[in-house]
Amino acid sequence: MPAPPVPPAPAAAPRPLDPIDRSIMRLLQTDGRASIRSVAEQVHVSRANAYARINRLIDDGVIRGFTARVNHERAGQGASAYITLKIVQNSWRTVREKLRELPGAAHIALVSGDFDVLLLVHTADNRTLRELVLTRLQSIPEVLSTRTLLVFEETDLLDPGPPAGGPALAED
């Protein structure tokens, strides 16, 4: 008789972050390309300490990666919308996988309240957005209804202005 499957080990409890860790995270959210030296100087620690802390934040899964923040309008995606979806009960995983495949899907969240899913999309124009909603989204069998909220203007709270430049986490 085969042995019963071993349940996965419980996830380690999150390590508490101190003010220096929080400062490092804020700096890297603002400029993911900041050099180790720059980060160390701004949080008043040695380069070795800053390097070790950043690596620990990455290893612990606190920092999941480094990405570019895109100006969608300048990138040819002039229409943005939040779309709320009501879905068939217990179909979240299936719906999530189908939504990931949508062109322009930027954020997907399972939420509570009057609807089940909140989807942020960026498309070239309103015609493309209309096609996405009426053809692609509403053809997913598990989607019961949608509501589209057009974004007229948005503000990136992490954007301090023009990027500072420099290689990503360079070891100056």
Side-chain angles (χ1 to χ4, degrees), residues 27-44:
L27 287 169
L28 293 176
Q29 283 178 302
T30 301
D31 180 8
R33 296 174 53 146
S35 69
I36 295 289
R37 182 173 70 184
S38 171
V39 170
E41 288 172 357
Q42 292 182 64
V43 300
H44 310 291

Side-chain angles (χ1 to χ4, degrees), residues 15 30 32-33 64 67 72-73 93 97 105 109 131 150-151:
R15 192 180 326 201
T30 301
R33 296 174 53 146
R64 297 181 303 169
T67 62
H72 295 284
E73 192 170 336
R93 288 177 183 82
E97 294 313 308
E131 179 71 18
L150 292 176
V151 175

